Amino acid sequence: MTVQIPSEADRLEALRSLAVRPVPEPEYDAVCRTACALFNAPIAWVSLVEADSQWFKARCGLDLDGTTRGASFCTHTIRSDEILVIEDASQDPRFVSSPLVRGDAGVRFYAGAPLVLGPGLRLGALCIVDRMPRRFSERERAQLQDLAQVVMAQLQAGRAAREARESAASFRLLAESTSDMITRCDLQGTRLYVSPASETLLGYRPEELIGTKPRDLIHPDDAEAYGRLLGQVRSGAISRAVTQHRYRHKDGSWVWVEVSFGLARADEGEQPAGYIAAVRDVSRRKEAEDRMAHMARHDPLTDLPNRLLFREELDRALARLDRDGTGFALLCLDLDHFKSVNDTLGHQAGDRLLRVVAGRIRGVLRRGDVAARLGGDEFVIIQAGCAGPEDAMGLAARVVEAMAAPVDLGGYPTGIGISIGIALAPCDARAPEDLLARADVALYRAKAAGRNTWRLAEGEAMPDAAPLRTEAPGRRRAAAAVPAMRAETASRVRIGGEVRAALAAHEIVPFYQPKVCCRTGQVSGFEALARWQHPTRGVLTPGYFGAAFEDQDLATAIGDTLLRQVAADMRAWNAGGLAFGRVAVNVSSAEFRKPDLAGSILEVLAAYGVPTTHFELEVTETVFLGQGAENVPAVLNRLHDSGVLVTLDDFGTGFASLTHLKQFPVDHIKVDQSFVRNMEQDGDDAAIVAAVVGLGRSLGMRVTAEGVERPGQVERLRALGCDYAQGYQFAKPMAASRVPYFLRSWVLSAPDPIRFRSV
Ligand code: C2E
Ligand code: CA
Ligand code: CA
């Protein structure tokens, strides 16, 4: 290793970095006085050598602030780490003509010890001077050198103190200019400093919180988790922690905050001195998250639990049954003639009727019972702790009775008829599907027996499965014997057949809808959406044939066909030099059941020479839930590792679960159009969009808003920091042949990329 000898520039830089103040400081003067006394000399000084001059930081017995370098002894002293002794300057040709020697100072004897900051970095000297020639013993030399070290230590301590003052000042400035509450605690957690934001955040002035501990204000339910985290930070297991908990506001309310904290050390490698924490108000985000979680599990019309929550409740009831043998009853409810209310009095009347029914069902439940609306006019009740058929029939009777009073539907008093099918667990069945099927068949028999009645399941033979059953979570109409079900199944079978024929006739094609960057207005890519170019009925959307995506064989066949067409389109666009960005393809849960989905996608891309970095996959949260979910992580990881972007579609409508996002390699999230639709009018929706954007940012994911139809939405989204937008505002899904034209006209007609308009 070669050692660099510091240059004069390095030396001057080192001197500058000490920023020695050019004013007298008593401790330096004291050193000079000590030197005079110790060596019995009339004069002593501390000299700092600049580029062209030397100046005296301290002096004793001399009335001079400094000299030029040419006149100075110290210029010579700083050439080595050794002490420089001139016994008689009048005999030394180097100094004989120096004004210090010839002038009033009358210097004859000089001894200077260099001030050494580091190897080769000599900043000046501590010197003693006499007006007569002298000898200087070895012992005296050593003493002078010791004193020089004291001066050096003073210079360095001055710098450290100044840096500490400066960093304390900038810490304070930072802490006091952010809306987060910044606190510093000692190792016991006692607050030593609290920034003024405490007043807006918690209603306390900083001085009221100093001396308190975070634990004093934390919600009791959150204290344990916080304590655990604190322990991990303290032990060094993690360097920083971020956690959310509730703090008590001075007014007694609870505020949700996000606290990010870590150990504070004066210097790297030193023992920690305490903690620094930043505390941020996240109550609005939390509210939006809670609302999202609620919405994901409740029916918006009646606010009863929806299919998803019902399924979870049913699983819970079954778990209880397994654990301690507590039985329960499942009641399936169906309104009589609901369809005719909808058809004759309109949807609003139908909605009102459903709300009234929901309210009346709620009114007859006991603690622990759960009612849910599964869709349309289908309701279910889980009767907890049901001791036997009498209990369940008692509840059914109360429901029928509650429906007796007519409902006023805008001037039309309407009677409500209700039929109820009952299955008991464990005596009728133990598996959720079987229980539902039994209750369903009992319901069918109740309906057949006339309105306002109920039937118990009676050990009927289980009906055959429908040929094109879906595996959607929740209740499946099990009985092919139920006429409505039969009709639905028939139509599914028909569509299934038609779609197969359409595939064979190459009538299923991708349409492309652009995604636009909110910041620059540039097209970042396209989403491929399935369309059926029907020979007589025009272009059909999945609204007509989407059920086919739920059947594994059909979904795979459609997926394959579309993927190949998309890859072929991308190859053609690439060949034409078209910058189209990324193309996203939707994959349904059913397709994940297929073995080696990742491999087959990568194979197709490779066969068409399409780089994976131009490809994106859109999946909804249902893929993490349905059958085949166990394949999902491996498939997504493999694709993600190969460069394919993974986007979570329809975010906010499913589990809305943050754990999913963390578990899977998700790069993008797409906030569902139902939140974007009313975000200008509905504060809650806007808050949800804002929360998703914030969430995306904190997890390092990009966020796309879909269903953007108006310029106002674009403005709001941009203000919220949403990354991409997609919707009719920019373009409807278009045939592949139109994409090149669209891209060219988009670039040409967008001189100001921020100004969006539809094309
Ligand atoms: P998605 O993935 O959420 O697709 C977005 C849907 O919103 C598309 O409906 C699109 O045409 C529509 N849309 C786009 N912008 C707007 C707008 O500004 N306003 C409104 N009201 N709607 C807009 P589309 O094409 O009917 O597709 C419906 C659903 O069918 C898709 O929802 C997706 O879940 C599924 N789907 C479509 N193509 C495929 C496919 O190739 N494979 C699979 N597995 N599913 C597909
Ligand atoms: Ca999609
Ligand atoms: Ca979507």
Side-chain angles (χ1 to χ4, degrees), residues 389-422:
E390 292 72 26
D391 258 7
M393 287 193 292
L395 174 56
R398 292 205 303 280
V399 172
V400 169
E401 200 183 309
M403 301 300 159
V407 186
D408 182 358
L409 297 176
Y412 300 93
T414 307
I416 312 173
I418 196 157
S419 308
I420 304 174
I422 306 170

Side-chain angles (χ1 to χ4, degrees), residues 108-401:
R108 295 292 292 279
F109 168 77
Y110 169 93
L115 301 172
V116 186
L117 180 65
L121 293 173
R122 294 173 287 265
L123 310 179
L126 168 66
C127 325
I128 55 160
V129 161
D130 209 335
R131 295 199 169 88
M132 56 179 113
R134 264 174 77 158
R135 290 277 164 109
F136 208 52
S137 68
E138 280 306 317
R139 190 156 164 256
E140 286 172 316
R141 286 169 194 250
Q143 284 170 333
L144 188 64
Q145 246 167 346
D146 284 350
L147 271 186
Q149 274 187 26
V150 172
V151 174
M152 205 53 238
Q154 282 172 348
L155 288 169
Q156 279 172 306
R159 169 166 71 179
R162 202 173 40 257
E163 280 175 355
R165 271 197 307 278
E166 279 166 11
S167 89
S170 40
F171 170 78
R172 218 163 261 267
L173 187 72
L174 271 178
E176 297 187 356
S177 55
T178 139
S179 59
D180 292 358
M181 175 174 104
I182 310 290
T183 64
R184 192 161 55 79
C185 306
D186 63 17
L187 279 176
Q188 283 65 50
T190 310
R191 293 190 178 99
L192 304 175
Y193 168 83
V194 176
S195 73
S198 63
E199 195 138 16
T200 24
L201 192 75
L202 299 174
Y204 290 99
R205 279 177 287 111
E207 52 277 24
E208 293 179 280
L209 291 181
I210 287 171
T212 64
K213 294 185 175 192
R215 271 178 181 277
D216 303 342
L217 295 180
I218 289 184
H219 194 285
D221 293 350
D222 303 337
E224 197 190 314
Y226 171 74
R228 249 197 324 270
L229 214 53
L230 190 68
Q232 286 176 305
V233 171
R234 188 177 295 165
S235 69
I238 51 176
S239 61
R240 273 203 87 69
V242 180
T243 166
Q244 293 191 352
H245 55 234
R246 285 156 289 180
Y247 263 141
R248 202 174 48 243
H249 190 277
K250 195 172 182 180
D251 68 13
S253 63
W254 292 105
V255 187
W256 269 106
V257 294
E258 182 178 273
V259 186
S260 145
F261 64 100
L263 286 174
R265 296 171 208 269
D267 258 315
E268 231 168 287
E270 272 189 27
Q271 282 302 311
Y275 302 95
I276 297 277
V279 185
R280 169 173 300 181
D281 185 345
V282 291
S283 15
R284 274 190 64 84
R285 182 166 101 197
K286 201 77 191 167
E287 267 166 33
E289 277 178 15
D290 288 351
R291 244 187 72 84
M292 247 153 79
H294 182 88
M295 279 168 34
R297 288 178 165 68
H298 291 82
D299 159 41
L301 183 65
T302 62
D303 205 38
L304 285 179
N306 64 8
R307 203 176 267 278
L308 188 62
L309 182 50
F310 161 69
R311 237 352 243 261
E312 291 170 0
E313 292 289 353
L314 185 58
D315 289 344
R316 262 193 283 278
L318 285 164
R320 209 158 38 232
L321 172 65
D322 286 343
R323 204 171 49 240
D324 55 21
T326 316
F328 64 93
L330 186 72
L331 288 77
C332 286
L333 287 58
D334 199 293
L335 300 187
D336 300 330
H337 309 308
F338 172 72
K339 192 171 172 312
S340 67
V341 170
N342 244 347
D343 291 348
T344 52
L345 300 179
H347 282 288
Q348 276 187 336
D351 286 355
R352 174 161 162 67
L353 181 66
L354 291 172
R355 272 196 291 263
V356 170
V357 167
R360 291 182 182 179
I361 294 177
R362 252 194 216 107
V364 300
L365 298 184
R366 304 233 162 103
R367 253 175 70 102
D369 297 347
V370 178
R373 176 173 173 236
L374 303 185
D377 59 343
E378 288 176 57
F379 294 86
V380 278
I381 300 175
I382 301 172
Q383 186 185 23
C386 167
E390 292 72 26
D391 258 7
M393 287 193 292
L395 174 56
R398 292 205 303 280
V399 172
V400 169
E401 200 183 309

